Amino acid sequence: MRQKLRISYAVKSYPGSFALLLLVALVSVCFLSACGSKGKTISDIVFRERKNREIDRHPKIPKDEIIQQASSSRLYSELREYYKKSLLELKVATDRDCAKLVVVVLTIETGKYATPASTFGIPFIFITTDNMGVDYYDLARKIAENDVTELTQTTEDGVWSKKGAVFIADQLDSIISKYNDQRSTKKFPDAKKPATFGDLQPNQDEMMYDYGDAPYHLKVNSQGLRMDHDLQFPKKKQTILILGDAEVFSPLLNNEDIATSILQRRHPDKEIINAGVNNYTMDDYASLYTEKARFTEPDIVIVCTNGGDIIEQYFTQRNKYSRSNKIYEPSDAELQFYNEFYGKR
């Protein structure tokens, strides 16, 4: 009876489409409550509905068109500033934790496979890291010196092959060896640690078919990280946290074949943490670190990035893939580009 009164009050108090939205939310809550579901609130449901409506209203996610469109130079400048702001947030957070931040450019979009995102984005990343005093390594140049078709399973998706994963492990190995003496003194009491350190669904151990007819074995530990074991505390090894998107997560490869697993087997005296998640970008790396991953108490934080992370700051990509619990409203430049390129909706 109390639920019925709430629904009646909502319809009277909130006219128009918002009343309908709230009504749907309230009915959903009643259903969830009746089914014994927990953790769902009206605000959760209303937010998800609002976000889905925004995605439906602006469904297109541009890529290199952002750079190629003659009228979008202001937009690209804006996205670069978003990227720089997120990288600075990550630097401030790692500095506070006495961890060494290292930026690694990792992409197959190089050499004859170069895209506008890489051509314009990689020099910007170099300048930005240099100005911030962050160590920077460009693996794109190393990749360009090799046959990309051997390093990847498909050049279209840029997914690493087994040979590619070994190559990436070799390159990261040479970087990690420069910081053998790096140690952070930051410690967190167990009571302050979150339930998970990564964003993957914990305790997965299954064959994945999210890339069509090419299944792969995914194993995620209880802490939300693509690893075969849980982290133990107090830590006894140098800890290296690796952030990134698909280049780090490594879809289409079994756990034992990904670069971070190869590194772990080579260095049993170190803890190599894979916190990669598909479709993440720089603001996700920063928020994942500050909210969860910093509690792994890393000594070194390697963020694998590329020019795609700049254009993927665009609001439609963020609304679909961002880990943040927010709706990204388009700036004037973003909306102008969307309407010009896709047509006003």
Side-chain angles (χ1 to χ4, degrees), residues 180 182-184 187 230-240 264 267-272 296-297 299:
N180 282 331
Q182 171 65 33
R183 294 292 187 277
S184 168
K187 306 294 179 186
D230 286 345
L231 303 177
Q232 302 296 320
F233 298 94
K235 71 176 191 180
K236 298 178 181 179
K237 306 175 182 179
Q238 184 188 49
T239 300
I240 300 159
Q264 187 63 79
H267 299 284
D269 59 325
K270 301 180 187 295
E271 193 71 77
I272 310 294
T296 63
E297 301 173 0
D299 301 295

mmCIF file with all atom_site columns, all heavy atoms in Angstrom, residues 180 182-184 187 230-240 264 267-272 296-297 299:
data_model
loop_
_atom_site.group_PDB
_atom_site.id
_atom_site.type_symbol
_atom_site.label_atom_id
_atom_site.label_alt_id
_atom_site.label_comp_id
_atom_site.label_asym_id
_atom_site.label_entity_id
_atom_site.label_seq_id
_atom_site.pdbx_PDB_ins_code
_atom_site.Cartn_x
_atom_site.Cartn_y
_atom_site.Cartn_z
_atom_site.occupancy
_atom_site.B_iso_or_equiv
_atom_site.pdbx_formal_charge
_atom_site.auth_seq_id
_atom_site.auth_comp_id
_atom_site.auth_asym_id
_atom_site.auth_atom_id
_atom_site.pdbx_PDB_model_num
ATOM 1   N N   . ASN A 1 180 ? 64.600 -1.200  -10.709 1.00 0.00 ? 180 ASN A N   1
ATOM 2   C CA  . ASN A 1 180 ? 64.689 -2.304  -9.750  1.00 0.00 ? 180 ASN A CA  1
ATOM 3   C C   . ASN A 1 180 ? 64.766 -1.837  -8.301  1.00 0.00 ? 180 ASN A C   1
ATOM 4   O O   . ASN A 1 180 ? 64.362 -2.555  -7.382  1.00 0.00 ? 180 ASN A O   1
ATOM 5   C CB  . ASN A 1 180 ? 65.897 -3.189  -10.066 1.00 0.00 ? 180 ASN A CB  1
ATOM 6   C CG  . ASN A 1 180 ? 65.636 -4.122  -11.243 1.00 0.00 ? 180 ASN A CG  1
ATOM 7   O OD1 . ASN A 1 180 ? 64.508 -4.514  -11.495 1.00 0.00 ? 180 ASN A OD1 1
ATOM 8   N ND2 . ASN A 1 180 ? 66.690 -4.469  -11.968 1.00 0.00 ? 180 ASN A ND2 1
ATOM 9   N N   . GLN A 1 182 ? 63.289 0.906   -7.133  1.00 0.00 ? 182 GLN A N   1
ATOM 10  C CA  . GLN A 1 182 ? 62.158 1.771   -6.777  1.00 0.00 ? 182 GLN A CA  1
ATOM 11  C C   . GLN A 1 182 ? 61.255 1.083   -5.748  1.00 0.00 ? 182 GLN A C   1
ATOM 12  O O   . GLN A 1 182 ? 60.807 -0.033  -5.948  1.00 0.00 ? 182 GLN A O   1
ATOM 13  C CB  . GLN A 1 182 ? 61.345 2.107   -8.035  1.00 0.00 ? 182 GLN A CB  1
ATOM 14  C CG  . GLN A 1 182 ? 60.018 2.812   -7.777  1.00 0.00 ? 182 GLN A CG  1
ATOM 15  C CD  . GLN A 1 182 ? 60.176 4.189   -7.163  1.00 0.00 ? 182 GLN A CD  1
ATOM 16  O OE1 . GLN A 1 182 ? 61.147 4.896   -7.445  1.00 0.00 ? 182 GLN A OE1 1
ATOM 17  N NE2 . GLN A 1 182 ? 59.238 4.586   -6.330  1.00 0.00 ? 182 GLN A NE2 1
ATOM 18  N N   . ARG A 1 183 ? 61.012 1.776   -4.638  1.00 0.00 ? 183 ARG A N   1
ATOM 19  C CA  . ARG A 1 183 ? 60.105 1.256   -3.616  1.00 0.00 ? 183 ARG A CA  1
ATOM 20  C C   . ARG A 1 183 ? 59.247 2.404   -3.068  1.00 0.00 ? 183 ARG A C   1
ATOM 21  O O   . ARG A 1 183 ? 59.740 3.506   -2.838  1.00 0.00 ? 183 ARG A O   1
ATOM 22  C CB  . ARG A 1 183 ? 60.889 0.628   -2.452  1.00 0.00 ? 183 ARG A CB  1
ATOM 23  C CG  . ARG A 1 183 ? 61.678 -0.615  -2.807  1.00 0.00 ? 183 ARG A CG  1
ATOM 24  C CD  . ARG A 1 183 ? 60.786 -1.801  -3.151  1.00 0.00 ? 183 ARG A CD  1
ATOM 25  N NE  . ARG A 1 183 ? 61.544 -3.026  -3.330  1.00 0.00 ? 183 ARG A NE  1
ATOM 26  C CZ  . ARG A 1 183 ? 62.169 -3.371  -4.450  1.00 0.00 ? 183 ARG A CZ  1
ATOM 27  N NH1 . ARG A 1 183 ? 62.142 -2.559  -5.500  1.00 0.00 ? 183 ARG A NH1 1
ATOM 28  N NH2 . ARG A 1 183 ? 62.829 -4.515  -4.527  1.00 0.00 ? 183 ARG A NH2 1
ATOM 29  N N   . SER A 1 184 ? 58.004 2.102   -2.850  1.00 0.00 ? 184 SER A N   1
ATOM 30  C CA  . SER A 1 184 ? 57.104 3.042   -2.194  1.00 0.00 ? 184 SER A CA  1
ATOM 31  C C   . SER A 1 184 ? 56.974 2.667   -0.726  1.00 0.00 ? 184 SER A C   1
ATOM 32  O O   . SER A 1 184 ? 56.994 1.479   -0.378  1.00 0.00 ? 184 SER A O   1
ATOM 33  C CB  . SER A 1 184 ? 55.722 3.014   -2.854  1.00 0.00 ? 184 SER A CB  1
ATOM 34  O OG  . SER A 1 184 ? 54.777 3.710   -2.070  1.00 0.00 ? 184 SER A OG  1
ATOM 35  N N   . LYS A 1 187 ? 51.578 2.469   2.764   1.00 0.00 ? 187 LYS A N   1
ATOM 36  C CA  . LYS A 1 187 ? 50.869 1.271   3.207   1.00 0.00 ? 187 LYS A CA  1
ATOM 37  C C   . LYS A 1 187 ? 49.439 1.654   3.578   1.00 0.00 ? 187 LYS A C   1
ATOM 38  O O   . LYS A 1 187 ? 49.183 2.761   4.050   1.00 0.00 ? 187 LYS A O   1
ATOM 39  C CB  . LYS A 1 187 ? 51.552 0.643   4.428   1.00 0.00 ? 187 LYS A CB  1
ATOM 40  C CG  . LYS A 1 187 ? 53.030 0.341   4.242   1.00 0.00 ? 187 LYS A CG  1
ATOM 41  C CD  . LYS A 1 187 ? 53.275 -0.736  3.215   1.00 0.00 ? 187 LYS A CD  1
ATOM 42  C CE  . LYS A 1 187 ? 54.769 -1.000  3.049   1.00 0.00 ? 187 LYS A CE  1
ATOM 43  N NZ  . LYS A 1 187 ? 55.055 -1.944  1.946   1.00 0.00 ? 187 LYS A NZ  1
ATOM 44  N N   . ASP A 1 230 ? 45.628 -14.225 -6.176  1.00 0.00 ? 230 ASP A N   1
ATOM 45  C CA  . ASP A 1 230 ? 45.283 -13.019 -5.423  1.00 0.00 ? 230 ASP A CA  1
ATOM 46  C C   . ASP A 1 230 ? 46.544 -12.381 -4.858  1.00 0.00 ? 230 ASP A C   1
ATOM 47  O O   . ASP A 1 230 ? 47.527 -13.065 -4.556  1.00 0.00 ? 230 ASP A O   1
ATOM 48  C CB  . ASP A 1 230 ? 44.338 -13.347 -4.267  1.00 0.00 ? 230 ASP A CB  1
ATOM 49  C CG  . ASP A 1 230 ? 42.918 -13.640 -4.745  1.00 0.00 ? 230 ASP A CG  1
ATOM 50  O OD1 . ASP A 1 230 ? 42.602 -13.317 -5.911  1.00 0.00 ? 230 ASP A OD1 1
ATOM 51  O OD2 . ASP A 1 230 ? 42.131 -14.198 -3.950  1.00 0.00 ? 230 ASP A OD2 1
ATOM 52  N N   . LEU A 1 231 ? 46.494 -11.071 -4.704  1.00 0.00 ? 231 LEU A N   1
ATOM 53  C CA  . LEU A 1 231 ? 47.587 -10.351 -4.056  1.00 0.00 ? 231 LEU A CA  1
ATOM 54  C C   . LEU A 1 231 ? 47.534 -10.600 -2.556  1.00 0.00 ? 231 LEU A C   1
ATOM 55  O O   . LEU A 1 231 ? 46.450 -10.645 -1.958  1.00 0.00 ? 231 LEU A O   1
ATOM 56  C CB  . LEU A 1 231 ? 47.467 -8.851  -4.335  1.00 0.00 ? 231 LEU A CB  1
ATOM 57  C CG  . LEU A 1 231 ? 47.444 -8.432  -5.810  1.00 0.00 ? 231 LEU A CG  1
ATOM 58  C CD1 . LEU A 1 231 ? 47.236 -6.921  -5.918  1.00 0.00 ? 231 LEU A CD1 1
ATOM 59  C CD2 . LEU A 1 231 ? 48.729 -8.842  -6.509  1.00 0.00 ? 231 LEU A CD2 1
ATOM 60  N N   . GLN A 1 232 ? 48.712 -10.726 -1.967  1.00 0.00 ? 232 GLN A N   1
ATOM 61  C CA  . GLN A 1 232 ? 48.803 -10.973 -0.536  1.00 0.00 ? 232 GLN A CA  1
ATOM 62  C C   . GLN A 1 232 ? 49.420 -9.767  0.167   1.00 0.00 ? 232 GLN A C   1
ATOM 63  O O   . GLN A 1 232 ? 50.303 -9.107  -0.377  1.00 0.00 ? 232 GLN A O   1
ATOM 64  C CB  . GLN A 1 232 ? 49.651 -12.224 -0.263  1.00 0.00 ? 232 GLN A CB  1
ATOM 65  C CG  . GLN A 1 232 ? 49.123 -13.498 -0.931  1.00 0.00 ? 232 GLN A CG  1
ATOM 66  C CD  . GLN A 1 232 ? 47.776 -13.925 -0.417  1.00 0.00 ? 232 GLN A CD  1
ATOM 67  O OE1 . GLN A 1 232 ? 47.522 -13.831 0.793   1.00 0.00 ? 232 GLN A OE1 1
ATOM 68  N NE2 . GLN A 1 232 ? 46.905 -14.391 -1.310  1.00 0.00 ? 232 GLN A NE2 1
ATOM 69  N N   . PHE A 1 233 ? 48.951 -9.511  1.377   1.00 0.00 ? 233 PHE A N   1
ATOM 70  C CA  . PHE A 1 233 ? 49.474 -8.402  2.179   1.00 0.00 ? 233 PHE A CA  1
ATOM 71  C C   . PHE A 1 233 ? 49.817 -8.915  3.573   1.00 0.00 ? 233 PHE A C   1
ATOM 72  O O   . PHE A 1 233 ? 49.159 -9.826  4.089   1.00 0.00 ? 233 PHE A O   1
ATOM 73  C CB  . PHE A 1 233 ? 48.435 -7.278  2.257   1.00 0.00 ? 233 PHE A CB  1
ATOM 74  C CG  . PHE A 1 233 ? 48.094 -6.688  0.915   1.00 0.00 ? 233 PHE A CG  1
ATOM 75  C CD1 . PHE A 1 233 ? 47.007 -7.171  0.191   1.00 0.00 ? 233 PHE A CD1 1
ATOM 76  C CD2 . PHE A 1 233 ? 48.870 -5.681  0.352   1.00 0.00 ? 233 PHE A CD2 1
ATOM 77  C CE1 . PHE A 1 233 ? 46.694 -6.641  -1.049  1.00 0.00 ? 233 PHE A CE1 1
ATOM 78  C CE2 . PHE A 1 233 ? 48.566 -5.146  -0.876  1.00 0.00 ? 233 PHE A CE2 1
ATOM 79  C CZ  . PHE A 1 233 ? 47.469 -5.630  -1.587  1.00 0.00 ? 233 PHE A CZ  1
ATOM 80  N N   . PRO A 1 234 ? 50.819 -8.327  4.210   1.00 0.00 ? 234 PRO A N   1
ATOM 81  C CA  . PRO A 1 234 ? 51.688 -7.265  3.681   1.00 0.00 ? 234 PRO A CA  1
ATOM 82  C C   . PRO A 1 234 ? 52.532 -7.777  2.520   1.00 0.00 ? 234 PRO A C   1
ATOM 83  O O   . PRO A 1 234 ? 52.948 -8.934  2.507   1.00 0.00 ? 234 PRO A O   1
ATOM 84  C CB  . PRO A 1 234 ? 52.554 -6.886  4.879   1.00 0.00 ? 234 PRO A CB  1
ATOM 85  C CG  . PRO A 1 234 ? 52.542 -8.102  5.752   1.00 0.00 ? 234 PRO A CG  1
ATOM 86  C CD  . PRO A 1 234 ? 51.207 -8.741  5.574   1.00 0.00 ? 234 PRO A CD  1
ATOM 87  N N   . LYS A 1 235 ? 52.762 -6.903  1.561   1.00 0.00 ? 235 LYS A N   1
ATOM 88  C CA  . LYS A 1 235 ? 53.482 -7.315  0.355   1.00 0.00 ? 235 LYS A CA  1
ATOM 89  C C   . LYS A 1 235 ? 54.952 -7.581  0.679   1.00 0.00 ? 235 LYS A C   1
ATOM 90  O O   . LYS A 1 235 ? 55.543 -6.941  1.555   1.00 0.00 ? 235 LYS A O   1
ATOM 91  C CB  . LYS A 1 235 ? 53.342 -6.250  -0.740  1.00 0.00 ? 235 LYS A CB  1
ATOM 92  C CG  . LYS A 1 235 ? 54.094 -4.963  -0.486  1.00 0.00 ? 235 LYS A CG  1
ATOM 93  C CD  . LYS A 1 235 ? 53.959 -4.020  -1.688  1.00 0.00 ? 235 LYS A CD  1
ATOM 94  C CE  . LYS A 1 235 ? 54.918 -2.854  -1.552  1.00 0.00 ? 235 LYS A CE  1
ATOM 95  N NZ  . LYS A 1 235 ? 54.842 -1.920  -2.679  1.00 0.00 ? 235 LYS A NZ  1
ATOM 96  N N   . LYS A 1 236 ? 55.540 -8.495  -0.068  1.00 0.00 ? 236 LYS A N   1
ATOM 97  C CA  . LYS A 1 236 ? 56.938 -8.868  0.142   1.00 0.00 ? 236 LYS A CA  1
ATOM 98  C C   . LYS A 1 236 ? 57.785 -8.671  -1.115  1.00 0.00 ? 236 LYS A C   1
ATOM 99  O O   . LYS A 1 236 ? 58.988 -8.944  -1.078  1.00 0.00 ? 236 LYS A O   1
ATOM 100 C CB  . LYS A 1 236 ? 57.011 -10.325 0.597   1.00 0.00 ? 236 LYS A CB  1
ATOM 101 C CG  . LYS A 1 236 ? 56.300 -10.585 1.920   1.00 0.00 ? 236 LYS A CG  1
ATOM 102 C CD  . LYS A 1 236 ? 56.366 -12.055 2.309   1.00 0.00 ? 236 LYS A CD  1
ATOM 103 C CE  . LYS A 1 236 ? 55.639 -12.306 3.615   1.00 0.00 ? 236 LYS A CE  1
ATOM 104 N NZ  . LYS A 1 236 ? 55.668 -13.742 4.002   1.00 0.00 ? 236 LYS A NZ  1
ATOM 105 N N   . LYS A 1 237 ? 57.137 -8.245  -2.206  1.00 0.00 ? 237 LYS A N   1
ATOM 106 C CA  . LYS A 1 237 ? 57.842 -8.094  -3.473  1.00 0.00 ? 237 LYS A CA  1
ATOM 107 C C   . LYS A 1 237 ? 57.658 -6.678  -4.019  1.00 0.00 ? 237 LYS A C   1
ATOM 108 O O   . LYS A 1 237 ? 56.708 -5.987  -3.665  1.00 0.00 ? 237 LYS A O   1
ATOM 109 C CB  . LYS A 1 237 ? 57.284 -9.079  -4.509  1.00 0.00 ? 237 LYS A CB  1
ATOM 110 C CG  . LYS A 1 237 ? 57.258 -10.527 -4.096  1.00 0.00 ? 237 LYS A CG  1
ATOM 111 C CD  . LYS A 1 237 ? 56.579 -11.359 -5.178  1.00 0.00 ? 237 LYS A CD  1
ATOM 112 C CE  . LYS A 1 237 ? 56.472 -12.817 -4.791  1.00 0.00 ? 237 LYS A CE  1
ATOM 113 N NZ  . LYS A 1 237 ? 55.792 -13.621 -5.851  1.00 0.00 ? 237 LYS A NZ  1
ATOM 114 N N   . GLN A 1 238 ? 58.555 -6.279  -4.920  1.00 0.00 ? 238 GLN A N   1
ATOM 115 C CA  . GLN A 1 238 ? 58.324 -5.050  -5.661  1.00 0.00 ? 238 GLN A CA  1
ATOM 116 C C   . GLN A 1 238 ? 57.060 -5.241  -6.490  1.00 0.00 ? 238 GLN A C   1
ATOM 117 O O   . GLN A 1 238 ? 56.879 -6.255  -7.175  1.00 0.00 ? 238 GLN A O   1
ATOM 118 C CB  . GLN A 1 238 ? 59.502 -4.728  -6.589  1.00 0.00 ? 238 GLN A CB  1
ATOM 119 C CG  . GLN A 1 238 ? 59.333 -3.390  -7.299  1.00 0.00 ? 238 GLN A CG  1
ATOM 120 C CD  . GLN A 1 238 ? 60.383 -3.149  -8.367  1.00 0.00 ? 238 GLN A CD  1
ATOM 121 O OE1 . GLN A 1 238 ? 60.629 -4.023  -9.199  1.00 0.00 ? 238 GLN A OE1 1
ATOM 122 N NE2 . GLN A 1 238 ? 61.004 -1.974  -8.356  1.00 0.00 ? 238 GLN A NE2 1
ATOM 123 N N   . THR A 1 239 ? 56.172 -4.260  -6.407  1.00 0.00 ? 239 THR A N   1
ATOM 124 C CA  . THR A 1 239 ? 54.863 -4.373  -7.053  1.00 0.00 ? 239 THR A CA  1
ATOM 125 C C   . THR A 1 239 ? 54.764 -3.412  -8.226  1.00 0.00 ? 239 THR A C   1
ATOM 126 O O   . THR A 1 239 ? 54.995 -2.204  -8.071  1.00 0.00 ? 239 THR A O   1
ATOM 127 C CB  . THR A 1 239 ? 53.738 -4.092  -6.042  1.00 0.00 ? 239 THR A CB  1
ATOM 128 O OG1 . THR A 1 239 ? 53.825 -5.062  -4.978  1.00 0.00 ? 239 THR A OG1 1
ATOM 129 C CG2 . THR A 1 239 ? 52.370 -4.184  -6.687  1.00 0.00 ? 239 THR A CG2 1
ATOM 130 N N   . ILE A 1 240 ? 54.406 -3.952  -9.393  1.00 0.00 ? 240 ILE A N   1
ATOM 131 C CA  . ILE A 1 240 ? 54.322 -3.161  -10.618 1.00 0.00 ? 240 ILE A CA  1
ATOM 132 C C   . ILE A 1 240 ? 52.892 -3.237  -11.137 1.00 0.00 ? 240 ILE A C   1
ATOM 133 O O   . ILE A 1 240 ? 52.414 -4.308  -11.531 1.00 0.00 ? 240 ILE A O   1
ATOM 134 C CB  . ILE A 1 240 ? 55.308 -3.688  -11.680 1.00 0.00 ? 240 ILE A CB  1
ATOM 135 C CG1 . ILE A 1 240 ? 56.733 -3.599  -11.130 1.00 0.00 ? 240 ILE A CG1 1
ATOM 136 C CG2 . ILE A 1 240 ? 55.180 -2.895  -12.976 1.00 0.00 ? 240 ILE A CG2 1
ATOM 137 C CD1 . ILE A 1 240 ? 57.711 -4.505  -11.823 1.00 0.00 ? 240 ILE A CD1 1
ATOM 138 N N   . GLN A 1 264 ? 55.393 -12.074 -15.288 1.00 0.00 ? 264 GLN A N   1
ATOM 139 C CA  . GLN A 1 264 ? 55.326 -12.653 -13.944 1.00 0.00 ? 264 GLN A CA  1
ATOM 140 C C   . GLN A 1 264 ? 56.152 -13.930 -13.844 1.00 0.00 ? 264 GLN A C   1
ATOM 141 O O   . GLN A 1 264 ? 56.843 -14.165 -12.848 1.00 0.00 ? 264 GLN A O   1
ATOM 142 C CB  . GLN A 1 264 ? 53.872 -12.941 -13.578 1.00 0.00 ? 264 GLN A CB  1
ATOM 143 C CG  . GLN A 1 264 ? 53.669 -13.388 -12.139 1.00 0.00 ? 264 GLN A CG  1
ATOM 144 C CD  . GLN A 1 264 ? 54.065 -12.320 -11.139 1.00 0.00 ? 264 GLN A CD  1
ATOM 145 O OE1 . GLN A 1 264 ? 53.327 -11.382 -10.893 1.00 0.00 ? 264 GLN A OE1 1
ATOM 146 N NE2 . GLN A 1 264 ? 55.260 -12.450 -10.543 1.00 0.00 ? 264 GLN A NE2 1
ATOM 147 N N   . HIS A 1 267 ? 59.759 -13.019 -13.622 1.00 0.00 ? 267 HIS A N   1
ATOM 148 C CA  . HIS A 1 267 ? 60.155 -12.295 -12.408 1.00 0.00 ? 267 HIS A CA  1
ATOM 149 C C   . HIS A 1 267 ? 59.329 -12.755 -11.209 1.00 0.00 ? 267 HIS A C   1
ATOM 150 O O   . HIS A 1 267 ? 58.472 -12.019 -10.714 1.00 0.00 ? 267 HIS A O   1
ATOM 151 C CB  . HIS A 1 267 ? 59.987 -10.790 -12.616 1.00 0.00 ? 267 HIS A CB  1
ATOM 152 C CG  . HIS A 1 267 ? 60.820 -10.225 -13.705 1.00 0.00 ? 267 HIS A CG  1
ATOM 153 N ND1 . HIS A 1 267 ? 62.177 -10.001 -13.570 1.00 0.00 ? 267 HIS A ND1 1
ATOM 154 C CD2 . HIS A 1 267 ? 60.499 -9.846  -14.980 1.00 0.00 ? 267 HIS A CD2 1
ATOM 155 C CE1 . HIS A 1 267 ? 62.650 -9.493  -14.694 1.00 0.00 ? 267 HIS A CE1 1
ATOM 156 N NE2 . HIS A 1 267 ? 61.667 -9.404  -15.564 1.00 0.00 ? 267 HIS A NE2 1
ATOM 157 N N   . PRO A 1 268 ? 59.577 -13.939 -10.708 1.00 0.00 ? 268 PRO A N   1
ATOM 158 C CA  . PRO A 1 268 ? 58.839 -14.402 -9.528  1.00 0.00 ? 268 PRO A CA  1
ATOM 159 C C   . PRO A 1 268 ? 59.114 -13.565 -8.287  1.00 0.00 ? 268 PRO A C   1
ATOM 160 O O   . PRO A 1 268 ? 58.366 -13.636 -7.312  1.00 0.00 ? 268 PRO A O   1
ATOM 161 C CB  . PRO A 1 268 ? 59.336 -15.848 -9.348  1.00 0.00 ? 268 PRO A CB  1
ATOM 162 C CG  . PRO A 1 268 ? 60.664 -15.894 -10.048 1.00 0.00 ? 268 PRO A CG  1
ATOM 163 C CD  . PRO A 1 268 ? 60.558 -14.935 -11.187 1.00 0.00 ? 268 PRO A CD  1
ATOM 164 N N   . ASP A 1 269 ? 60.185 -12.749 -8.349  1.00 0.00 ? 269 ASP A N   1
ATOM 165 C CA  . ASP A 1 269 ? 60.513 -11.877 -7.227  1.00 0.00 ? 269 ASP A CA  1
ATOM 166 C C   . ASP A 1 269 ? 59.749 -10.565 -7.279  1.00 0.00 ? 269 ASP A C   1
ATOM 167 O O   . ASP A 1 269 ? 59.906 -9.717  -6.390  1.00 0.00 ? 269 ASP A O   1
ATOM 168 C CB  . ASP A 1 269 ? 62.016 -11.578 -7.213  1.00 0.00 ? 269 ASP A CB  1
ATOM 169 C CG  . ASP A 1 269 ? 62.475 -10.895 -8.500  1.00 0.00 ? 269 ASP A CG  1
ATOM 170 O OD1 . ASP A 1 269 ? 61.931 -11.223 -9.584  1.00 0.00 ? 269 ASP A OD1 1
ATOM 171 O OD2 . ASP A 1 269 ? 63.380 -10.035 -8.433  1.00 0.00 ? 269 ASP A OD2 1
ATOM 172 N N   . LYS A 1 270 ? 58.917 -10.359 -8.303  1.00 0.00 ? 270 LYS A N   1
ATOM 173 C CA  . LYS A 1 270 ? 58.115 -9.151  -8.437  1.00 0.00 ? 270 LYS A CA  1
ATOM 174 C C   . LYS A 1 270 ? 56.640 -9.527  -8.530  1.00 0.00 ? 270 LYS A C   1
ATOM 175 O O   . LYS A 1 270 ? 56.293 -10.666 -8.846  1.00 0.00 ? 270 LYS A O   1
ATOM 176 C CB  . LYS A 1 270 ? 58.510 -8.359  -9.689  1.00 0.00 ? 270 LYS A CB  1
ATOM 177 C CG  . LYS A 1 270 ? 59.972 -7.918  -9.727  1.00 0.00 ? 270 LYS A CG  1
ATOM 178 C CD  . LYS A 1 270 ? 60.257 -7.134  -11.003 1.00 0.00 ? 270 LYS A CD  1
ATOM 179 C CE  . LYS A 1 270 ? 61.743 -6.825  -11.162 1.00 0.00 ? 270 LYS A CE  1
ATOM 180 N NZ  . LYS A 1 270 ? 62.258 -5.914  -10.119 1.00 0.00 ? 270 LYS A NZ  1
ATOM 181 N N   . GLU A 1 271 ? 55.774 -8.574  -8.262  1.00 0.00 ? 271 GLU A N   1
ATOM 182 C CA  . GLU A 1 271 ? 54.334 -8.764  -8.446  1.00 0.00 ? 271 GLU A CA  1
ATOM 183 C C   . GLU A 1 271 ? 53.918 -7.910  -9.637  1.00 0.00 ? 271 GLU A C   1
ATOM 184 O O   . GLU A 1 271 ? 54.005 -6.685  -9.590  1.00 0.00 ? 271 GLU A O   1
ATOM 185 C CB  . GLU A 1 271 ? 53.571 -8.334  -7.200  1.00 0.00 ? 271 GLU A CB  1
ATOM 186 C CG  . GLU A 1 271 ? 52.127 -8.790  -7.176  1.00 0.00 ? 271 GLU A CG  1
ATOM 187 C CD  . GLU A 1 271 ? 51.977 -10.288 -6.958  1.00 0.00 ? 271 GLU A CD  1
ATOM 188 O OE1 . GLU A 1 271 ? 52.134 -10.755 -5.811  1.00 0.00 ? 271 GLU A OE1 1
ATOM 189 O OE2 . GLU A 1 271 ? 51.710 -10.994 -7.949  1.00 0.00 ? 271 GLU A OE2 1
ATOM 190 N N   . ILE A 1 272 ? 53.482 -8.568  -10.714 1.00 0.00 ? 272 ILE A N   1
ATOM 191 C CA  . ILE A 1 272 ? 53.059 -7.871  -11.930 1.00 0.00 ? 272 ILE A CA  1
ATOM 192 C C   . ILE A 1 272 ? 51.541 -7.874  -11.961 1.00 0.00 ? 272 ILE A C   1
ATOM 193 O O   . ILE A 1 272 ? 50.914 -8.938  -12.060 1.00 0.00 ? 272 ILE A O   1
ATOM 194 C CB  . ILE A 1 272 ? 53.612 -8.552  -13.201 1.00 0.00 ? 272 ILE A CB  1
ATOM 195 C CG1 . ILE A 1 272 ? 55.124 -8.788  -13.082 1.00 0.00 ? 272 ILE A CG1 1
ATOM 196 C CG2 . ILE A 1 272 ? 53.267 -7.715  -14.434 1.00 0.00 ? 272 ILE A CG2 1
ATOM 197 C CD1 . ILE A 1 272 ? 55.970 -7.560  -13.039 1.00 0.00 ? 272 ILE A CD1 1
ATOM 198 N N   . THR A 1 296 ? 46.739 -1.490  -4.003  1.00 0.00 ? 296 THR A N   1
ATOM 199 C CA  . THR A 1 296 ? 47.674 -2.604  -4.209  1.00 0.00 ? 296 THR A CA  1
ATOM 200 C C   . THR A 1 296 ? 49.068 -2.235  -3.733  1.00 0.00 ? 296 THR A C   1
ATOM 201 O O   . THR A 1 296 ? 49.969 -3.075  -3.746  1.00 0.00 ? 296 THR A O   1
ATOM 202 C CB  . THR A 1 296 ? 47.748 -3.003  -5.693  1.00 0.00 ? 296 THR A CB  1
ATOM 203 O OG1 . THR A 1 296 ? 48.257 -1.904  -6.463  1.00 0.00 ? 296 THR A OG1 1
ATOM 204 C CG2 . THR A 1 296 ? 46.375 -3.410  -6.227  1.00 0.00 ? 296 THR A CG2 1
ATOM 205 N N   . GLU A 1 297 ? 49.248 -0.965  -3.358  1.00 0.00 ? 297 GLU A N   1
ATOM 206 C CA  . GLU A 1 297 ? 50.528 -0.443  -2.864  1.00 0.00 ? 297 GLU A CA  1
ATOM 207 C C   . GLU A 1 297 ? 51.646 -0.618  -3.890  1.00 0.00 ? 297 GLU A C   1
ATOM 208 O O   . GLU A 1 297 ? 52.710 -1.185  -3.606  1.00 0.00 ? 297 GLU A O   1
ATOM 209 C CB  . GLU A 1 297 ? 50.890 -1.112  -1.530  1.00 0.00 ? 297 GLU A CB  1
ATOM 210 C CG  . GLU A 1 297 ? 49.840 -0.889  -0.450  1.00 0.00 ? 297 GLU A CG  1
ATOM 211 C CD  . GLU A 1 297 ? 50.094 -1.686  0.829   1.00 0.00 ? 297 GLU A CD  1
ATOM 212 O OE1 . GLU A 1 297 ? 51.106 -2.427  0.873   1.00 0.00 ? 297 GLU A OE1 1
ATOM 213 O OE2 . GLU A 1 297 ? 49.284 -1.587  1.764   1.00 0.00 ? 297 GLU A OE2 1
ATOM 214 N N   . ASP A 1 299 ? 54.814 0.015   -6.361  1.00 0.00 ? 299 ASP A N   1
ATOM 215 C CA  . ASP A 1 299 ? 56.064 0.765   -6.371  1.00 0.00 ? 299 ASP A CA  1
ATOM 216 C C   . ASP A 1 299 ? 56.221 1.497   -7.703  1.00 0.00 ? 299 ASP A C   1
ATOM 217 O O   . ASP A 1 299 ? 56.774 2.591   -7.756  1.00 0.00 ? 299 ASP A O   1
ATOM 218 C CB  . ASP A 1 299 ? 57.241 -0.180  -6.160  1.00 0.00 ? 299 ASP A CB  1
ATOM 219 C CG  . ASP A 1 299 ? 57.132 -0.927  -4.837  1.00 0.00 ? 299 ASP A CG  1
ATOM 220 O OD1 . ASP A 1 299 ? 57.195 -0.266  -3.789  1.00 0.00 ? 299 ASP A OD1 1
ATOM 221 O OD2 . ASP A 1 299 ? 56.951 -2.161  -4.864  1.00 0.00 ? 299 ASP A OD2 1
#
